[in-house]
Amino acid sequence: MLFWTAVALIGLFAVAPLVVVAASAVTSTGYLVFPPQGFSLEWFAKAFDNSSFVGGLVTSLMLGIAATIICVVTGTLAAYAIVRMPNRFTAMLEQVFLSPLMLPAIVLGLGLMIVLSLSGWRGYFEGGLLAHVIVASPFVIRSVLAGLRQLDGRMIEAAQSLGAGPARTFFRVVLPSIAPSIVSGAIFAFVISFDEAVVTLLLVGPQFETLPVTIFTHVQYSNDPSVAAISTVIVLFCALLVGVMTKFTGGKDDR
């Protein structure tokens, strides 16, 4: 009984902020308040009438899609290289590719800011894309590594014994077998890129600003519920993606 009580309290603690944000988005007052006073959906309309929110949303979607495509290609190849390397190099390569996960976001963001400033890419989409690929690619690599390590090596040996070369074996045997892991990693990469705020905050400029950064800037100067409305939409969108991933992978966690 004590165990399930603790689980329920932890779940409530995790969900409570989302409930507060969603409830604040439907208040009829002109400022954020909880519990909401009245009921109105006007703030959702006003959020999408806000050009800053719409522009940030478009940038985040474009950035997330581009980063996901690059992460899937490079992350899958990197994971395949790790499992095919001799054992003495496997651990070293894995630590190198997964190292962005070990660094605090502010430290990684500061390093990227310095490098991109020196290269002239800071404040531009290309610089943000490079940063998001670095941040999101470890999630693809971890997911694909899990799938590759569960792959029966005899399938590869059988394909090669029948005359399939390395490229044919990879595209006709390996990729179809680890497709759920790739999809899982791709969705995680998109969500991470779409939601990234700390690193991106150090890289924005007049020509490049994502939705999370726009929301952060908005709450500094305004207290209207439109920010809660757009945040609610983001939460529902990310929840939908995770639901699609769970359904596609059959509920298995490939991380």
Side-chain angles (χ1 to χ4, degrees):
M1 182 63 182
L2 182 61
F3 171 76
W4 290 112
T5 302
V7 171
L9 289 174
I10 293 172
L12 179 62
F13 181 78
V15 174
L18 304 181
V19 174
V20 171
V21 171
S24 301
V26 296
T27 183
S28 59
T29 60
Y31 51 89
L32 286 170
V33 60
F34 185 84
Q37 299 178 8
F39 180 85
S40 175
L41 297 177
E42 65 173 310
W43 299 110
F44 288 90
K46 289 187 177 181
F48 285 99
D49 283 340
N50 188 316
S51 59
S52 296
F53 285 156
V54 173
L57 177 61
V58 172
T59 300
S60 290
L61 287 173
M62 292 174 58
L63 188 64
I65 293 171
T68 299
I69 292 172
I70 295 173
C71 286
V72 166
V73 175
T74 59
T76 301
L77 294 176
Y80 191 63
I82 290 173
V83 298
R84 299 290 291 176
M85 282 292 237
N87 289 335
R88 63 180 180 275
F89 297 118
T90 299
M92 180 187 70
L93 277 178
E94 188 171 349
Q95 292 300 318
V96 169
F97 283 116
L98 299 182
S99 58
L101 294 176
M102 307 173 193
L103 294 174
I106 188 66
V107 175
L108 181 60
L110 183 61
L112 287 169
M113 181 186 71
I114 295 173
V115 172
L116 293 176
S117 296
L118 293 175
S119 64
W121 282 11
R122 180 172 178 256
Y124 294 93
F125 183 89
E126 294 80 3
L129 177 59
L130 176 62
H132 280 226
V133 168
I134 293 173
V135 170
S137 60
F139 294 89
V140 176
I141 294 173
R142 288 179 61 188
S143 181
V144 176
L145 274 176
L148 287 170
R149 285 168 177 164
Q150 294 174 3
L151 181 64
D152 190 347
R154 291 174 296 182
M155 295 174 60
I156 298 177
E157 293 174 1
Q160 292 175 342
S161 68
L162 293 172
R168 188 179 181 88
T169 301
F170 178 74
F171 286 106
R172 299 295 295 271
V173 178
V174 177
L175 280 185
S177 300
I178 62 171
S181 298
I182 295 175
V183 172
S184 176
I187 293 177
F188 271 115
F190 179 83
V191 171
I192 293 298
S193 173
F194 187 83
D195 193 52
E196 174 57 48
V198 177
V199 172
T200 312
L201 189 62
L202 298 172
L203 306 177
V204 295
Q207 302 182 41
F208 173 67
E209 186 171 294
T210 62
L211 183 57
V213 174
T214 303
I215 292 174
F216 177 79
T217 305
H218 184 83
V219 297
Q220 290 182 301
Y221 304 103
S222 178
N223 193 35
D224 67 84
S226 61
V227 69
I230 196 69
S231 300
T232 302
V233 172
I234 293 174
V235 170
L236 293 176
F237 177 62
C238 292
L240 177 63
L241 287 179
V242 173
V244 170
M245 178 193 69
T246 303
K247 183 175 179 62
F248 188 89
T249 58
K252 295 184 293 183
D253 190 354
D254 293 315
R255 288 174 294 168

